[in-house]
Amino acid sequence: VQLVESGGGTVQAGGSLTLSCEASGFTFDDGMVAWFRQAPGEEREGVSCIWRNGGSIVYGDPAKDRFTISRDIAKNLYLLQMNDLRPEDTATYYCAAGRRGWFATRCDISRTILYDFWGQGTQVIVSS
């Protein structure tokens, strides 16, 4: 499995960006893909996740009402559309993939340990 992020960059506050994660070799039916972010000096935090079968989508508090996660299974692409960006969204954004547990009822971004595969990250800078 290889995860490659793209789409980061510098944008003014109020602008939009779409991040892409190409998940080569990630074909598990019980798979889930998440976006995490980490600002300098801060802990990594969950932004959003989606089950590979589309059965569950979860957003962290910073992402609610502004970000949208989606997937294109045919292309093995996972997208994060980010609107109304704020300076506090400045961070390195990471794509992560893992397999949900047998009894999972929803996608989970509470713990990074749930995800076995990680991309290198793509930087997002939002200027005020």
Side-chain angles (χ1 to χ4, degrees):
V1 175
Q2 185 176 17
L3 305 179
V4 178
E5 304 98 334
S6 62
T10 301
V11 64
Q12 288 189 331
S16 299
L17 283 174
T18 298
L19 305 184
S20 296
C21 174
E22 184 175 1
S24 303
F26 188 68
T27 59
F28 301 107
D29 291 337
D30 59 353
M32 58 184 182
V33 172
W35 288 94
F36 288 82
R37 71 184 186 183
Q38 189 167 21
E42 301 290 332
E43 291 188 357
R44 196 166 293 192
E45 67 171 341
V47 176
S48 182
C49 65
I50 184 170
W51 282 359
R52 187 172 177 274
N53 66 10
S56 175
I57 290 176
V58 167
Y59 293 100
D61 286 342
K64 289 178 181 176
D65 300 324
R66 298 189 298 130
F67 296 180
T68 303
I69 193 169
S70 61
R71 82 217 193 284
D72 184 335
I73 291 298
K75 297 180 180 178
N76 254 349
L77 278 179
Y78 294 82
L79 306 175
L80 185 69
Q81 171 71 39
M82 306 188 295
N83 297 324
D84 189 24
L85 284 162
R86 304 164 182 168
E88 53 263 41
D89 294 317
T90 295
T92 298
Y93 285 70
Y94 297 91
C95 177
R99 301 177 70 173
R100 55 184 165 90
W102 281 102
F103 301 105
T105 57
R106 62 198 298 262
C107 202
D108 192 339
I109 52 172
S110 65
R111 293 173 290 164
T112 58
I113 197 172
L114 297 174
Y115 296 87
D116 299 310
F117 308 102
W118 291 82
Q120 293 300 307
T122 185
Q123 191 169 32
V124 172
I125 298 174
V126 184
S127 61
S128 57

